Amino acid sequence: MLFHELTDSPENLRGVGPKRAVLFARLGLRTVADVLALMPRRYEDRSRTVSLVEAAGHGEGVVHATVIDHEYFLRGRQRTLKLVIQDETSTAALVCFGRNVLARTFPVGTPVSVYGQFSLRYGEIQASSFDAERRGPESAGTSPPVVPVYPLTEGITQTHLRDAVADALRKFTGDIEDELPDDVRQEERLLPLAEALQGVHFPATMDEPAPALRRLVWGELFTFQLRLAQDAHRRRRRTRRARPAPFRSAVDPVMQRLPFELTPDQSRVLSEILTDMDQPWPMSRLLQGDVGSGKTLVALVAALSAVERGQQVALMVPTELLARQHARNVGALLADTDVHPALVLGSMPAAARREVTAALGDGEIDIVIGTHALFSEGLTYANLGLVIIDEQHRFGVAQREHLQHRGHAPDVLMMSATPIPRSLALTAFGDSEVSTIHNLPPGRKPIRTHLARMGNEERVYEFVKRELQVGCQAYLVYPAIEEGGARGFRSAQEMHRRLQAVLAPYQVGLAHSRIDEDARAHTMEAFARGEIQALVATSVVEVGVDVPNATCMVVEHAEVFGLAALHQLRGRVGRGDAQSYCILVYQDPLNSDARERLKVMYESSDGFFIAEEDLRIRGPGELQGSRQSGFLEFRFADIREHMAEMISSRTQVARVLREDPELQQAEHHHLNRAVAALREDSTDEN
């Protein structure tokens, strides 16, 4: 059987049982495969014996000694055992917190082997963290030279886990079939799977875990990328209608009315997109670029190219606020043309919704803009040819695929204003091409970022007021909606009341997620028109809000926001010609992660560098919606550390698929099963 097919419950493993299996589940160990995939946090080298004096000097080691006494001391109302042991150099006390039963296990006179953390305390050598076992002829050679140390949960000990893992290895590894073909494994110098599992859990030396882990990591990344590449290959082979020749002009009238030309970066990525759209297979492309780099304009030109061919375009965005803004901007660009846009929102009146639904189904609407309502029941498309997904990481894989299936293999263009680290792009978007806009449009001034400690915010408000006095606008963002939270953060509602007085006579608006959608849209439109000069908000303004006259972004309690959110918030300003500022107000004391995030924001405005730092600090599981999408939750691999394995496995994937695209050859039988199971698991998760 393959590794993923080890679905037996761990309750039948040594020392587990039904009750302890519940505790195992808290660690995510619900199957034997889960138990074998639990990686040790570290290893203890028990191959070298030291004396008590040496152990006290080095801090740890294996000591051969004899129990010479049992002593007790009071700890609260209960007595705590001390096993007094002695070797040829000294005596030591093993402090048995919660383990008085060891008095029966190790009576006076018992020879013992002890591995522990030893130190000088209270005038004697002591160890309270230790493992001990009887030492005698019958136990010679039974202690493993290297012992794994696993993550624990309450009620589970290292012994429980070691016994369960050892039993799983004994019972199942002889039956595990290796999914990697022999030629791949030999070329990459990888261990057989069963040998790797043994080496990563119970190595004979401290050198064994590294190559064992490399085999597990490499195999996981290889199978994952093979699945993505095979899906892309199948998508390209999928039959669909021939590309119709353009029969009306939609691009030129819009391009002629633009007050500027596309930047070289915009022109390059547009060419990449249009080339894909000319292929006989459906496009799957990620368009990424920093905030304000002009991705939306590129996407609109691609949409107009589809419209020229008689196809419909669906632009899906994560919020109604952003949908309204896109609809307003697209409507202005398409005024006096024969291209017909429409807006579909979940909150729109039933009569208006029926009207749009009918027009969309009859082909009277060319470009439809909306939220997840675009794939709601009853909404049909006459000829959906292009799906554009803005802020793609806010949608799950299932939502994206649902919209794709509304047409006959439509092209898909995903957009992200948060640049995606290369390692993340190779995994989460391994089946897609990636286009990147590196540069901002000319004339944009770098945003000046300042840090301010909580307590100095009055000076911040004075600065904001000076910006308002010269006719500019400002955002002030808070992590909480209302006061009274457990962490005592300032809230948007509380600060809205206060800032109305502090910033008088200027108008101060309020926007957060609990305000009715229409009322919030009205406030945002008033801010965009300049009728509101300062907007107090939560992170609802993080995405897509475009007010060129806004020059000041203040984020209070900036230490609790992630790097991606801070970068997005900073990108709400600097969209016009005036100098813009971002002021991050933080509260001491800062933990190490918060200090790193603020340092990165202060020192860099490069979204690609910030994305890499975010990946380093937070890890892949919290980035780009990877939790909801089912991506990146690897058993063994960490994409921050295993780029070399990712790249080498990707090379092997290309070779295997060139020789056997459908994995039908006999040597790929196990591999085909493993990829099919991975595809099935991904579907189930979504």
Side-chain angles (χ1 to χ4, degrees):
M1 65 181 69
L2 297 179
F3 183 81
H4 72 272
E5 295 170 340
L6 300 175
T7 56
D8 296 38
S9 169
E11 69 180 58
N12 296 318
L13 297 177
R14 178 184 173 189
V16 182
K19 291 184 179 179
R20 193 162 288 150
V22 175
L23 301 179
F24 270 48
R26 292 181 186 173
L27 285 172
L29 311 180
R30 296 177 175 83
T31 68
V32 170
D34 294 334
V35 171
L36 290 176
L38 181 67
M39 291 295 97
R41 292 187 291 110
R42 59 184 179 88
Y43 298 90
E44 294 176 347
D45 185 357
R46 302 188 180 185
S47 61
R48 190 172 68 92
T49 302
V50 297
S51 69
L52 281 171
V53 170
E54 289 174 318
H58 294 296
E60 64 181 14
V62 177
V63 175
H64 291 168
T66 302
V67 178
I68 62 171
D69 198 6
H70 294 168
E71 297 179 1
Y72 292 88
F73 66 94
L74 287 176
R75 185 169 183 257
R77 296 183 178 182
Q78 295 190 356
R79 297 194 312 162
T80 294
L81 170 69
K82 287 203 303 186
L83 289 176
V84 182
I85 62 173
Q86 183 180 53
D87 71 356
E88 66 277 6
T89 65
S90 187
T91 60
L94 306 180
V95 184
C96 307
F97 293 121
R99 296 196 284 176
N100 285 2
V101 67
L102 293 182
R104 295 197 301 270
T105 307
F106 302 110
V108 172
T110 303
V112 292
S113 291
V114 181
Y115 179 88
Q117 307 288 326
F118 291 91
S119 62
L120 286 170
R121 299 186 65 195
Y122 308 112
E124 64 181 358
I125 301 173
Q126 283 192 0
S128 57
S129 175
F130 64 89
D131 285 338
E133 62 181 16
R134 286 175 173 267
R135 179 170 52 87
E138 70 283 357
S139 62
T142 60
S143 297
V146 179
V147 175
V149 179
Y150 297 99
L152 299 176
T153 189
E154 186 176 356
I156 298 293
T157 67
Q158 292 293 340
T159 299
H160 295 149
L161 288 173
R162 289 168 188 158
D163 286 349
V165 171
D167 198 35
L169 288 170
R170 181 179 60 81
K171 290 178 177 177
F172 294 99
T173 51
D175 298 327
I176 294 179
E177 299 165 305
D178 203 326
E179 80 280 7
L180 289 184
D182 289 342
D183 61 336
V184 170
R185 193 166 49 76
Q186 291 167 7
E187 186 172 338
E188 295 295 331
R189 299 181 180 178
L190 299 169
L191 296 172
L193 179 57
E195 188 176 329
L197 288 169
Q198 181 69 40
V200 83
H201 287 293
F202 296 107
T205 69
M206 292 292 282
D207 294 330
E208 280 191 16
L213 179 60
R214 179 176 180 268
R215 160 61 185 90
L216 300 177
V217 167
W218 201 97
E220 183 171 45
L221 291 174
F222 175 79
T223 307
F224 181 84
Q225 292 184 100
L226 185 59
R227 171 221 156 182
L228 293 178
Q230 195 177 47
D231 287 349
H233 177 78
R234 289 174 176 175
R235 184 174 62 246
R236 289 181 176 182
R237 292 181 58 191
R238 192 184 306 164
T239 57
R240 65 176 182 180
R241 289 190 291 268
R243 293 293 191 188
F247 66 87
R248 60 169 162 162
S249 178
V251 175
D252 288 345
V254 174
M255 297 299 291
Q256 289 168 5
R257 68 175 59 186
L258 291 177
F260 50 80
E261 293 184 354
L262 296 181
T263 67
D265 260 10
Q266 287 175 313
S267 297
R268 174 181 51 78
V269 300
L270 179 60
S271 176
E272 293 170 353
I273 293 166
L274 296 181
T275 298
D276 270 8
M277 292 172 63
D278 282 335
Q279 302 304 316
W281 54 78
M283 172 178 69
S284 178
R285 184 169 286 273
L286 171 68
L287 171 57
Q288 65 170 346
D290 221 334
V291 287
S293 60
K295 298 178 300 299
T296 304
L297 179 59
V298 169
L300 177 60
V301 177
L304 293 173
S305 180
V307 170
E308 284 186 339
R309 308 172 192 220
Q311 297 173 326
Q312 292 174 302
V313 179
L315 169 56
M316 185 168 70
V317 299
T319 67
E320 292 199 357
L321 177 65
L322 186 53
R324 293 176 192 271
Q325 178 175 286
H326 276 319
R328 184 169 59 248
N329 294 339
V330 169
L333 281 171
L334 298 181
D336 302 323
T337 71
D338 63 350
V339 179
H340 303 293
L343 178 65
V344 173
L345 302 173
S347 62
M348 66 193 310
R353 185 180 180 83
R354 285 194 297 270
E355 183 178 342
V356 172
T357 299
L360 193 63
D362 291 340
E364 298 171 8
I365 293 173
D366 299 305
I367 301 175
V368 60
I369 302 161
T371 58
H372 59 278
L374 292 179
F375 57 80
S376 59
E377 293 297 327
L379 203 65
T380 58
Y381 297 83
N383 183 21
L384 181 61
L386 174 62
V387 174
I388 302 172
I389 302 170
D390 197 8
E391 298 298 332
Q392 58 77 29
H393 61 278
R394 293 180 174 244
F395 295 98
V397 171
Q399 291 174 305
R400 299 198 293 251
E401 291 183 347
H402 197 109
L403 187 54
Q404 289 173 237
H405 293 157
R406 288 303 180 93
H408 182 65
D411 292 314
V412 177
L413 178 64
M414 299 169 284
M415 297 196 295
S416 175
T418 303
I420 298 171
R422 180 172 181 241
S423 52
L424 198 66
L426 283 174
T427 49
F429 298 96
D431 61 340
S432 301
E433 300 298 327
V434 179
S435 291
T436 302
I437 300 178
H438 293 280
N439 302 315
L440 297 179
R444 293 281 178 90
K445 296 179 180 178
I447 301 166
R448 295 178 182 172
T449 301
H450 300 278
L451 304 180
R453 187 179 289 106
M454 198 75 76
N456 296 328
E457 62 272 19
E458 295 303 327
R459 294 173 58 189
V460 174
Y461 304 149
E462 291 172 8
F463 179 83
V464 170
K465 195 165 184 177
R466 288 198 298 272
E467 287 294 293
L468 302 186
Q469 287 169 350
V470 297
C472 297
Q473 292 168 272
Y475 300 91
L476 298 103
V477 174
Y478 298 86
I481 293 176
E482 57 188 15
E483 52 191 316
R487 301 176 68 178
F489 294 142
R490 289 180 176 175
S491 68
Q493 289 181 347
E494 165 200 0
M495 294 306 297
H496 177 243
R497 291 190 294 269
R498 178 180 171 188
L499 290 169
Q500 282 179 306
V502 170
L503 300 179
Y506 300 100
Q507 292 296 308
V508 181
L510 176 65
H512 58 72
S513 60
R514 293 185 193 166
I515 294 175
D516 174 79
E517 189 79 48
D518 288 336
R520 191 162 80 237
H522 177 77
T523 297
M524 295 303 302
E525 288 165 4
F527 183 65
R529 291 192 300 267
E531 298 166 7
I532 291 173
Q533 287 78 45
L535 183 65
V536 175
T538 58
S539 57
V540 294
V541 298
E542 173 189 332
V543 173
V545 180
D546 187 5
V547 181
N549 193 48
T551 60
C552 192
M553 167 62 71
V554 177
V555 183
E556 298 206 40
H557 293 291
E559 72 276 4
V560 306
F561 289 84
L563 264 177
L566 290 174
H567 184 59
Q568 284 284 342
L569 288 169
R570 180 166 60 183
R572 295 310 101 209
V573 297
R575 307 177 80 84
D577 297 330
Q579 179 62 58
S580 293
Y581 307 87
C582 177
I583 305 173
L584 305 177
V585 183
Y586 65 91
Q587 185 171 35
D588 277 331
L590 294 174
N591 62 36
S592 59
D593 280 0
R595 187 176 296 107
E596 279 198 78
R597 289 196 299 271
L598 294 181
K599 182 174 184 287
V600 169
M601 289 296 297
Y602 178 72
E603 294 179 347
S604 178
S605 59
D606 182 344
F608 293 91
F609 171 76
I610 290 171
E612 293 288 354
E613 288 299 289
D614 203 14
L615 178 62
R616 180 181 64 81
I617 294 170
R618 284 202 292 162
E622 300 299 333
L623 297 180
Q624 296 300 324
S626 55
R627 290 262 181 239
Q628 67 167 331
S629 72
F631 283 120
L632 310 184
E633 296 179 1
F634 295 124
R635 290 180 183 270
F636 309 112
D638 183 334
I639 62 173
R640 295 166 296 181
E641 300 179 9
H642 298 131
M643 272 298 293
E645 288 78 8
M646 187 183 304
I647 292 170
S648 65
S649 62
R650 193 176 181 85
T651 301
Q652 289 289 352
V653 162
R655 183 185 67 79
V656 168
L657 288 183
R658 278 198 307 271
E659 298 172 359
D660 185 13
E662 296 300 324
L663 303 179
Q664 295 302 305
Q665 296 175 11
E667 62 267 30
H668 296 152
H669 174 65
H670 295 333
L671 190 56
N672 197 8
R673 284 165 53 199
V675 171
L678 184 60
R679 185 177 291 112
E680 184 177 326
D681 288 345
S682 177
T683 303
D684 291 343
E685 287 171 5
N686 292 297

